[in-house]
Amino acid sequence: MVFYEPPSPSRSPPRLQAKQYAAQLTAHKMILEDTLDACSNCCKLDVEVVKTKTALNRTASFIRAHDLDITDEDLSKCTEKLSLDDSNSQQNDGILRKSTSTSSSSTTNNNRDIVSLNGSGVGSIMSSLVIIGLKEATDESNRWNATSATDKVLKKRSKLKKSGGSSSVSSDIIISPSWQNPACGKDVFVWSSKCTRKGHGSDYPVVKSRGLISATAKEVVDLIIDSSRVMEYNKTSIGREDEHILTQDLKSSIHSLDYKCSKINIPGEAKIMCSKSQVPLTRKTLEFKTLFYARQLSSDDGIDIDGGVAYITVGRSVWETPEGTTDGADTSSTRCEILLSVNLIREVKSLNGETWCELTCINHGISPGIPMFIGKQVALTAAETYIKDIRVVLEKK
């Protein structure tokens, strides 16, 4: 990479000096542009990486950690840990305890912990989210209730398996059974379940979906992580912005486990992002501010990689205040809460040896003002649409 410094002004008369300096700047700009074009093979990548890893403006960010398995040592590395309960405000062992109103709703659960994301302990928060995400995405227990369409397909598959058949329709792509309910053909499977993690939001249902995509795992994760492409597959989105890149180390990449970010000691890429959606029949836009983390998986993570590549992305809402609320500056939108968002992306082989990508998604969230039973139906439909829309985008490539 070649760097140019702006020329220093000469000691000519002021008016002539200004003209000469402007001409010199223009010349150097043209030289730099020509150099970048001529060296596109080596320089263009560097420029793109710098853009991706730029540390953007940071705002105060707090995240719920009530269900995360984090040691006291890691928590101490965060700049602030707030434990909200119904006791009086007090200072105890370096932990600030503040009182808050309580009710029967889980949205004001007494035992939630809210942790600052400004310290080096943020890496342990994301690692714990990955553990929870993998557990949810790979859970094949009977806690999951299939939608009627999914149940119909799975029952038909079970009958065929007992009779020795390999597929229900000759065009179906049946994946080698790495787990009980692998993706199949063009179907998108959708389940719902009660949340097994106690605490804030545990009375809201969790939705899981799974489907096949004709693409590599790298293509899928690159699409999901790219904020500029969200509106290609999310029809209700009106934009997503990366507000802060946490993994600023240029060597850190979602496509490698060989290097950990020197700042927060984790591989992959982490960022805080803000997205907005306009849902039909709603007066205000819906806003989501999220901690997003993506990394490549290995066999040590307990995932059957099937000779290919696998990735995971996890997300959870962040807040501007240590009480887990917004700063109230924007009244034009409604802030929704993502308790857990997961994309498990892995390359798999069909029975005829073709490489496909299996996408398993977990969504657990709260939409203020929307009755739970309506929110559940919307979430089930959105989970199926999400995979189908990503499939359409990548099939057009």
Side-chain angles (χ1 to χ4, degrees), residues 44 70 100 143 145 182 206 217 242 266 291 301 314 344 361 370 376 391 395:
K44 187 176 182 181
I70 306 175
T100 183
R143 64 174 272 223
N145 300 308
V206 183
D242 297 339
I266 56 170
L291 170 67
D301 293 300
V314 291
L344 174 59
C361 306
I370 299 178
K376 178 180 178 181
R391 180 187 289 166
E395 284 179 351

Side-chain angles (χ1 to χ4, degrees), residues 100-156:
T100 183
S101 60
T102 61
S103 72
S104 59
S105 171
S106 65
T107 58
T108 55
N109 188 286
N110 295 343
N111 299 318
R112 66 190 182 189
D113 287 346
I114 297 182
V115 180
S116 170
L117 291 175
N118 293 320
S120 60
V122 67
S124 61
I125 292 173
M126 284 178 279
S127 295
S128 185
L129 283 172
V130 167
I131 292 172
I132 292 176
L134 284 173
K135 182 179 180 180
E136 292 280 1
T138 59
D139 181 8
E140 298 288 277
S141 70
N142 58 8
R143 64 174 272 223
W144 297 98
N145 300 308
T147 61
S148 57
T150 298
D151 186 55
K152 182 178 179 180
V153 174
L154 292 177
K155 284 181 177 179
K156 187 175 183 179

Side-chain angles (χ1 to χ4, degrees), residues 181-217:
N181 296 313
C184 167
K186 293 292 184 180
D187 295 308
V188 175
F189 298 150
V190 183
W191 301 266
S192 64
S193 171
K194 292 183 178 180
C195 180
T196 58
R197 302 182 312 280
K198 296 180 180 180
H200 178 77
S202 59
D203 53 345
Y204 284 80
V206 183
V207 173
K208 178 168 72 172
S209 56
R210 179 176 292 155
L212 289 178
I213 298 174
S214 180
T216 65

Side-chain angles (χ1 to χ4, degrees), residues 197-253:
R197 302 182 312 280
K198 296 180 180 180
H200 178 77
S202 59
D203 53 345
Y204 284 80
V206 183
V207 173
K208 178 168 72 172
S209 56
R210 179 176 292 155
L212 289 178
I213 298 174
S214 180
T216 65
K218 181 180 183 301
E219 289 173 322
V220 175
V221 74
D222 282 345
L223 174 63
I224 291 173
I225 203 171
D226 188 347
S227 292
S228 67
R229 301 188 64 187
V230 169
M231 289 186 285
E232 293 183 34
Y233 57 87
N234 185 343
K235 306 306 179 185
T236 64
S237 174
I238 56 176
R240 191 176 85 190
E241 179 184 358
D242 297 339
E243 291 192 343
H244 183 71
I245 305 299
L246 293 167
T247 45
Q248 299 172 16
D249 198 318
L250 297 182
K251 295 181 181 179
S252 181
S253 168

Side-chain angles (χ1 to χ4, degrees), residues 82-83 85-99:
L82 301 180
S83 178
D85 55 26
D86 56 1
S87 62
N88 295 327
S89 297
Q90 58 180 317
Q91 188 75 24
N92 184 15
D93 297 330
I95 298 176
L96 178 62
R97 302 185 179 278
K98 301 182 69 175
S99 62

Side-chain angles (χ1 to χ4, degrees), residues 233-293:
Y233 57 87
N234 185 343
K235 306 306 179 185
T236 64
S237 174
I238 56 176
R240 191 176 85 190
E241 179 184 358
D242 297 339
E243 291 192 343
H244 183 71
I245 305 299
L246 293 167
T247 45
Q248 299 172 16
D249 198 318
L250 297 182
K251 295 181 181 179
S252 181
S253 168
I254 60 172
H255 303 302
S256 174
L257 288 170
D258 298 332
Y259 188 85
K260 294 184 178 181
C261 175
S262 57
K263 181 180 178 183
I264 52 180
N265 196 35
I266 56 170
E269 184 167 329
K271 58 185 177 180
I272 294 174
M273 59 190 191
C274 182
S275 60
K276 290 190 177 183
S277 297
Q278 185 65 65
V279 180
L281 304 180
T282 58
R283 184 170 57 88
K284 290 186 176 182
T285 59
L286 303 181
E287 183 182 50
F288 305 83
K289 186 167 288 191
T290 315
L291 170 67
F292 178 89
Y293 174 51

